[in-house]
Amino acid sequence: MSTDFETLKPDLPLNEAVQAFRRASAKGRKIFGMMVTDEQNRLIGMLSMYDILLFMRPKHIHIWGHMDDIDVEGIMDVACERARAVRVGDIMTTEVITVTPDTHVLRVMDLMIKKHIRRLPVLDRGEIQGIIYISDLFYDLLERLSQ
């Protein structure tokens, strides 16, 4: 479990959230998801790279390969401009699976695999204690395997 983590607020603009991802990654670890907390620092959601990409993806992208008259030039620029008005709370995942500090590592592994989760907040009676990243789990396993 990592106890060194940053959180986001739901009213934070998306472009500022992206900057928070960059700052957190500059500390030596690539961060692709962050917890979102309310004013009392209670967990209310998660914002991940997937949430952002899902929001940015054009709704009708599935027909692009079938139509020759669609001009896609500049679409990403328009989407990025539109995203400046979006807040973290607008696109965050609100149904967050969590674990407790005493959750066994095998249970954590099972949850991450079955639910396709890359990070799990660790809560103790509703208070955030840390976060478990799938990479931490993997590197712990590598260490155990190499002994």
Side-chain angles (χ1 to χ4, degrees), residues 20-36:
F21 276 77
R22 283 188 176 169
R23 283 191 306 275
S25 293
K27 294 179 180 178
R29 157 183 260 165
K30 293 285 187 190
I31 301 295
F32 299 105
M34 291 183 160
M35 293 180 277
V36 181

PDB file of all heavy atoms in Angstrom, residues 20-36:
ATOM      1  N   ALA A  20      -2.312  17.683 -12.382  1.00  0.00           N
ATOM      2  CA  ALA A  20      -2.067  16.964 -11.125  1.00  0.00           C
ATOM      3  C   ALA A  20      -1.506  15.572 -11.409  1.00  0.00           C
ATOM      4  O   ALA A  20      -0.618  15.093 -10.699  1.00  0.00           O
ATOM      5  CB  ALA A  20      -3.351  16.876 -10.307  1.00  0.00           C
ATOM      6  N   PHE A  21      -1.994  14.913 -12.460  1.00  0.00           N
ATOM      7  CA  PHE A  21      -1.453  13.615 -12.872  1.00  0.00           C
ATOM      8  C   PHE A  21       0.018  13.771 -13.231  1.00  0.00           C
ATOM      9  O   PHE A  21       0.854  12.957 -12.857  1.00  0.00           O
ATOM     10  CB  PHE A  21      -2.210  13.054 -14.083  1.00  0.00           C
ATOM     11  CG  PHE A  21      -3.464  12.307 -13.746  1.00  0.00           C
ATOM     12  CD1 PHE A  21      -4.615  12.992 -13.396  1.00  0.00           C
ATOM     13  CD2 PHE A  21      -3.509  10.933 -13.798  1.00  0.00           C
ATOM     14  CE1 PHE A  21      -5.783  12.315 -13.098  1.00  0.00           C
ATOM     15  CE2 PHE A  21      -4.668  10.240 -13.505  1.00  0.00           C
ATOM     16  CZ  PHE A  21      -5.812  10.934 -13.148  1.00  0.00           C
ATOM     17  N   ARG A  22       0.339  14.826 -13.975  1.00  0.00           N
ATOM     18  CA  ARG A  22       1.737  15.071 -14.372  1.00  0.00           C
ATOM     19  C   ARG A  22       2.625  15.317 -13.162  1.00  0.00           C
ATOM     20  O   ARG A  22       3.727  14.791 -13.075  1.00  0.00           O
ATOM     21  CB  ARG A  22       1.826  16.264 -15.320  1.00  0.00           C
ATOM     22  CG  ARG A  22       1.411  15.945 -16.710  1.00  0.00           C
ATOM     23  CD  ARG A  22       1.704  17.105 -17.609  1.00  0.00           C
ATOM     24  NE  ARG A  22       1.394  16.749 -18.970  1.00  0.00           N
ATOM     25  CZ  ARG A  22       1.339  17.604 -19.950  1.00  0.00           C
ATOM     26  NH1 ARG A  22       1.573  18.877 -19.734  1.00  0.00           N
ATOM     27  NH2 ARG A  22       1.045  17.201 -21.170  1.00  0.00           N
ATOM     28  N   ARG A  23       2.154  16.147 -12.219  1.00  0.00           N
ATOM     29  CA  ARG A  23       2.945  16.430 -11.011  1.00  0.00           C
ATOM     30  C   ARG A  23       3.185  15.158 -10.206  1.00  0.00           C
ATOM     31  O   ARG A  23       4.285  14.907  -9.726  1.00  0.00           O
ATOM     32  CB  ARG A  23       2.240  17.472 -10.137  1.00  0.00           C
ATOM     33  CG  ARG A  23       2.369  18.893 -10.627  1.00  0.00           C
ATOM     34  CD  ARG A  23       1.895  19.881  -9.586  1.00  0.00           C
ATOM     35  NE  ARG A  23       0.545  19.636  -9.103  1.00  0.00           N
ATOM     36  CZ  ARG A  23      -0.570  20.065  -9.695  1.00  0.00           C
ATOM     37  NH1 ARG A  23      -0.499  20.767 -10.808  1.00  0.00           N
ATOM     38  NH2 ARG A  23      -1.750  19.797  -9.178  1.00  0.00           N
ATOM     39  N   ALA A  24       2.147  14.353 -10.059  1.00  0.00           N
ATOM     40  CA  ALA A  24       2.282  13.108  -9.300  1.00  0.00           C
ATOM     41  C   ALA A  24       3.237  12.154 -10.004  1.00  0.00           C
ATOM     42  O   ALA A  24       4.046  11.483  -9.358  1.00  0.00           O
ATOM     43  CB  ALA A  24       0.912  12.454  -9.114  1.00  0.00           C
ATOM     44  N   SER A  25       3.183  12.108 -11.321  1.00  0.00           N
ATOM     45  CA  SER A  25       4.075  11.233 -12.085  1.00  0.00           C
ATOM     46  C   SER A  25       5.517  11.720 -12.044  1.00  0.00           C
ATOM     47  O   SER A  25       6.441  10.924 -12.167  1.00  0.00           O
ATOM     48  CB  SER A  25       3.589  11.118 -13.532  1.00  0.00           C
ATOM     49  OG  SER A  25       2.357  10.434 -13.585  1.00  0.00           O
ATOM     50  N   ALA A  26       5.707  13.021 -11.869  1.00  0.00           N
ATOM     51  CA  ALA A  26       7.061  13.576 -11.811  1.00  0.00           C
ATOM     52  C   ALA A  26       7.801  13.119 -10.559  1.00  0.00           C
ATOM     53  O   ALA A  26       9.025  13.227 -10.480  1.00  0.00           O
ATOM     54  CB  ALA A  26       7.006  15.106 -11.853  1.00  0.00           C
ATOM     55  N   LYS A  27       7.073  12.556  -9.610  1.00  0.00           N
ATOM     56  CA  LYS A  27       7.698  12.058  -8.374  1.00  0.00           C
ATOM     57  C   LYS A  27       8.331  10.679  -8.569  1.00  0.00           C
ATOM     58  O   LYS A  27       8.755  10.057  -7.605  1.00  0.00           O
ATOM     59  CB  LYS A  27       6.673  12.007  -7.248  1.00  0.00           C
ATOM     60  CG  LYS A  27       6.170  13.367  -6.832  1.00  0.00           C
ATOM     61  CD  LYS A  27       5.147  13.236  -5.730  1.00  0.00           C
ATOM     62  CE  LYS A  27       4.630  14.590  -5.295  1.00  0.00           C
ATOM     63  NZ  LYS A  27       3.603  14.469  -4.253  1.00  0.00           N
ATOM     64  N   GLY A  28       8.355  10.206  -9.810  1.00  0.00           N
ATOM     65  CA  GLY A  28       9.032   8.939 -10.078  1.00  0.00           C
ATOM     66  C   GLY A  28       8.119   7.758 -10.317  1.00  0.00           C
ATOM     67  O   GLY A  28       8.579   6.643 -10.504  1.00  0.00           O
ATOM     68  N   ARG A  29       6.830   7.950 -10.301  1.00  0.00           N
ATOM     69  CA  ARG A  29       5.889   6.858 -10.533  1.00  0.00           C
ATOM     70  C   ARG A  29       4.827   7.349 -11.494  1.00  0.00           C
ATOM     71  O   ARG A  29       4.264   8.413 -11.312  1.00  0.00           O
ATOM     72  CB  ARG A  29       5.254   6.448  -9.215  1.00  0.00           C
ATOM     73  CG  ARG A  29       3.925   5.756  -9.397  1.00  0.00           C
ATOM     74  CD  ARG A  29       3.276   5.417  -8.101  1.00  0.00           C
ATOM     75  NE  ARG A  29       3.566   4.015  -7.915  1.00  0.00           N
ATOM     76  CZ  ARG A  29       3.433   3.383  -6.789  1.00  0.00           C
ATOM     77  NH1 ARG A  29       3.037   4.003  -5.723  1.00  0.00           N
ATOM     78  NH2 ARG A  29       3.701   2.106  -6.705  1.00  0.00           N
ATOM     79  N   LYS A  30       4.553   6.579 -12.525  1.00  0.00           N
ATOM     80  CA  LYS A  30       3.497   6.939 -13.464  1.00  0.00           C
ATOM     81  C   LYS A  30       2.146   6.742 -12.776  1.00  0.00           C
ATOM     82  O   LYS A  30       1.837   5.657 -12.297  1.00  0.00           O
ATOM     83  CB  LYS A  30       3.559   6.077 -14.723  1.00  0.00           C
ATOM     84  CG  LYS A  30       4.784   6.340 -15.561  1.00  0.00           C
ATOM     85  CD  LYS A  30       4.639   7.634 -16.304  1.00  0.00           C
ATOM     86  CE  LYS A  30       5.801   7.805 -17.266  1.00  0.00           C
ATOM     87  NZ  LYS A  30       5.863   9.106 -17.845  1.00  0.00           N
ATOM     88  N   ILE A  31       1.375   7.799 -12.728  1.00  0.00           N
ATOM     89  CA  ILE A  31       0.064   7.770 -12.088  1.00  0.00           C
ATOM     90  C   ILE A  31      -1.010   7.872 -13.165  1.00  0.00           C
ATOM     91  O   ILE A  31      -1.002   8.812 -13.953  1.00  0.00           O
ATOM     92  CB  ILE A  31      -0.090   8.920 -11.070  1.00  0.00           C
ATOM     93  CG1 ILE A  31       0.988   8.842  -9.987  1.00  0.00           C
ATOM     94  CG2 ILE A  31      -1.486   8.945 -10.463  1.00  0.00           C
ATOM     95  CD1 ILE A  31       0.909   7.615  -9.097  1.00  0.00           C
ATOM     96  N   PHE A  32      -1.923   6.902 -13.192  1.00  0.00           N
ATOM     97  CA  PHE A  32      -2.982   6.869 -14.189  1.00  0.00           C
ATOM     98  C   PHE A  32      -4.370   6.943 -13.568  1.00  0.00           C
ATOM     99  O   PHE A  32      -5.362   6.791 -14.260  1.00  0.00           O
ATOM    100  CB  PHE A  32      -2.865   5.606 -15.042  1.00  0.00           C
ATOM    101  CG  PHE A  32      -1.572   5.529 -15.794  1.00  0.00           C
ATOM    102  CD1 PHE A  32      -0.574   4.662 -15.390  1.00  0.00           C
ATOM    103  CD2 PHE A  32      -1.348   6.341 -16.885  1.00  0.00           C
ATOM    104  CE1 PHE A  32       0.628   4.588 -16.085  1.00  0.00           C
ATOM    105  CE2 PHE A  32      -0.151   6.275 -17.587  1.00  0.00           C
ATOM    106  CZ  PHE A  32       0.836   5.396 -17.180  1.00  0.00           C
ATOM    107  N   GLY A  33      -4.427   7.172 -12.265  1.00  0.00           N
ATOM    108  CA  GLY A  33      -5.710   7.304 -11.586  1.00  0.00           C
ATOM    109  C   GLY A  33      -5.522   7.898 -10.218  1.00  0.00           C
ATOM    110  O   GLY A  33      -4.510   7.643  -9.556  1.00  0.00           O
ATOM    111  N   MET A  34      -6.479   8.727  -9.805  1.00  0.00           N
ATOM    112  CA  MET A  34      -6.414   9.369  -8.493  1.00  0.00           C
ATOM    113  C   MET A  34      -7.769   9.311  -7.806  1.00  0.00           C
ATOM    114  O   MET A  34      -8.814   9.318  -8.456  1.00  0.00           O
ATOM    115  CB  MET A  34      -6.016  10.839  -8.633  1.00  0.00           C
ATOM    116  CG  MET A  34      -4.608  11.073  -9.066  1.00  0.00           C
ATOM    117  SD  MET A  34      -4.329  12.860  -9.084  1.00  0.00           S
ATOM    118  CE  MET A  34      -2.577  12.898  -9.002  1.00  0.00           C
ATOM    119  N   MET A  35      -7.709   9.302  -6.480  1.00  0.00           N
ATOM    120  CA  MET A  35      -8.926   9.350  -5.691  1.00  0.00           C
ATOM    121  C   MET A  35      -9.487  10.771  -5.718  1.00  0.00           C
ATOM    122  O   MET A  35      -8.737  11.743  -5.773  1.00  0.00           O
ATOM    123  CB  MET A  35      -8.637   8.929  -4.248  1.00  0.00           C
ATOM    124  CG  MET A  35      -8.259   7.467  -4.116  1.00  0.00           C
ATOM    125  SD  MET A  35      -7.932   6.977  -2.408  1.00  0.00           S
ATOM    126  CE  MET A  35      -6.224   7.515  -2.233  1.00  0.00           C
ATOM    127  N   VAL A  36     -10.806  10.852  -5.675  1.00  0.00           N
ATOM    128  CA  VAL A  36     -11.497  12.140  -5.613  1.00  0.00           C
ATOM    129  C   VAL A  36     -12.158  12.207  -4.235  1.00  0.00           C
ATOM    130  O   VAL A  36     -12.854  11.275  -3.828  1.00  0.00           O
ATOM    131  CB  VAL A  36     -12.554  12.280  -6.730  1.00  0.00           C
ATOM    132  CG1 VAL A  36     -13.232  13.638  -6.660  1.00  0.00           C
ATOM    133  CG2 VAL A  36     -11.912  12.047  -8.104  1.00  0.00           C
TER     134      VAL A  36
END
